[in-house]
């Protein structure tokens, strides 16, 4: 199974049109407010910190470059070639490697595992962007990349985030400038029930080793000037010891 061509085209169109400035994309918050907070939760559970680390759904590589300064081998993987072009351009020194990957395609994740071996995987807000029929396949792909020794960190907007986004989009002026392109390209966040995420992981053969809640920081601001944060739930997962 692979993602639909419509879905891939939506992401390509989004990244081709998105502004290049840092923070111009709705979810492209600075690493100090995103991946750095997540690493503080993830690193205590790593049994193989020297394993390759895959930033799945890396987009333009903002978080990938941060990870590449802290792990010996980092691969940014994304469905969109346009996003990867931006990631490479922003990383001229090649601190990380970048590759197009359809993570719901079983053969693709198996091939990556055959190349890298077991890996640690960072996944920020990817599952809820998948179409419903692809979500279990994505979890299966993460399990393939993790193998026996790796660990994965997933953070996803919680059910409560949907109400926040709907309220933002329904404001008097319509969706704010950084959210409007996401909706226009048809890649609006999907509704994933909080209970479904651990179920996907369990069905993939993984065990939830830790979980909790944390605000997911965006780059957009409310009319009162406060930064918009979405309620989220995070999970550390891997094979049972």
């Amino acid at each position: 199974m692979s993602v639909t061509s419509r879905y891939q085209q939506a992401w390509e169109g989004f990244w081709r049109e998105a502004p290049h400035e840092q923070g111009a994309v709705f979810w492209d918050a600075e690493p100090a407010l995103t991946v750095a907070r997540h690493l503080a939760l993830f690193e205590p559970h790593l049994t193989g910190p020297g394993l390759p680390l895959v930033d799945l759904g890396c987009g333009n590589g903002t978080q990938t470059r941060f990870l590449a300064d802290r792990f010996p081998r980092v691969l940014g993987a994304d469905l969109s070639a346009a996003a990867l072009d931006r990631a490479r351009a922003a990383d001229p020194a090649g601190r990380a490697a970048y590759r197009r990957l359809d993570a719901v395609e079983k053969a693709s994740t198996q091939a990556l595992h055959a190349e890298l071996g077991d890996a640690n995987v960072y996944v920020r807000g990817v599952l809820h962007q998948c179409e419903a029929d692809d979500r279990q396949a994505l979890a299966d792909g993460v399990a393939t990349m993790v193998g026996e020794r790796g660990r994965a960190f997933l953070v996803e907007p919680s059910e409560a985030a949907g109400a926040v986004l709907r309220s933002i989009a329904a404001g008097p002026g319509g969706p704010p400038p950084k959210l409007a392109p996401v909706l226009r390209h048809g890649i609006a966040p999907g509704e994933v029930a909080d209970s479904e995420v651990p179920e996907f992981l369990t069905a993939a053969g993984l065990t939830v080793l830790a979980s909790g809640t944390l605000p997911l920081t965006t780059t957009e601001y409310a009319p009162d000037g406060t930064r918009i944060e979405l309620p989220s739930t995070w999970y550390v997962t891997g094979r049972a010891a």
Side-chain angles (χ1 to χ4, degrees):
M1 181 174 68
S2 63
V3 295
T4 64
S5 59
R6 183 211 64 78
Y7 188 54
Q8 181 179 344
Q9 290 167 4
W11 278 109
E12 291 292 354
F14 173 83
W15 280 112
R16 282 196 299 266
E17 295 179 12
H20 284 264
E21 295 79 16
Q22 176 66 42
V25 172
F26 183 71
W27 55 79
D28 194 28
E30 52 268 41
L33 300 178
T34 49
V35 65
R37 294 177 176 176
H38 300 150
L39 277 184
L41 302 167
F42 189 27
E43 287 183 312
H45 297 278
L46 296 179
T47 57
L51 295 176
L53 187 142
V54 178
D55 181 10
L56 184 59
C58 69
N60 62 356
T62 298
Q63 316 305 321
T64 318
R65 294 188 294 277
F66 181 93
L67 291 166
D69 287 337
R70 287 153 181 82
F71 292 90
R73 184 180 183 187
V74 173
L75 174 69
D78 202 277
L79 178 66
S80 168
L84 293 168
D85 287 343
R86 293 190 181 210
R88 294 186 185 100
D91 186 11
R95 288 178 286 171
Y98 302 92
R99 184 175 308 180
R100 186 182 176 279
L101 179 72
D102 180 351
V104 307
E105 179 61 51
K106 184 176 181 179
S108 296
T109 54
Q110 287 178 332
L112 185 61
H113 183 263
E115 176 186 341
L116 298 180
D118 293 353
N120 295 314
V121 183
Y122 176 65
V123 190
R124 181 174 68 106
V126 176
L127 188 68
H128 80 285
Q129 291 284 4
C130 288
E131 295 176 350
D133 290 343
D134 288 330
R135 291 171 188 158
Q136 184 60 59
L138 179 73
D140 293 345
V142 170
T144 296
M145 290 183 279
V146 164
E148 296 299 322
R149 297 182 297 146
R151 295 285 184 263
F153 183 93
L154 294 86
V155 58
E156 295 291 334
S158 63
E159 289 180 62
V164 175
L165 288 168
R166 287 190 292 272
S167 175
I168 295 169
K178 295 178 185 178
L179 180 59
V182 179
L183 303 177
R184 186 173 67 251
H185 283 280
I187 50 177
E191 298 289 340
V192 180
D194 294 342
S195 62
E196 289 183 338
V197 180
E199 291 174 356
F200 290 138
L201 298 173
T202 299
L206 299 173
T207 298
V208 174
L209 305 170
S211 63
T213 59
L214 192 71
L216 194 61
T217 304
T218 76
T219 63
E220 190 58 276
Y221 292 82
D224 64 2
T226 59
R227 191 190 288 251
I228 294 172
E229 295 183 329
L230 302 178
S232 73
T233 306
W234 57 268
Y235 306 86
V236 176
T237 188
R239 306 289 178 188

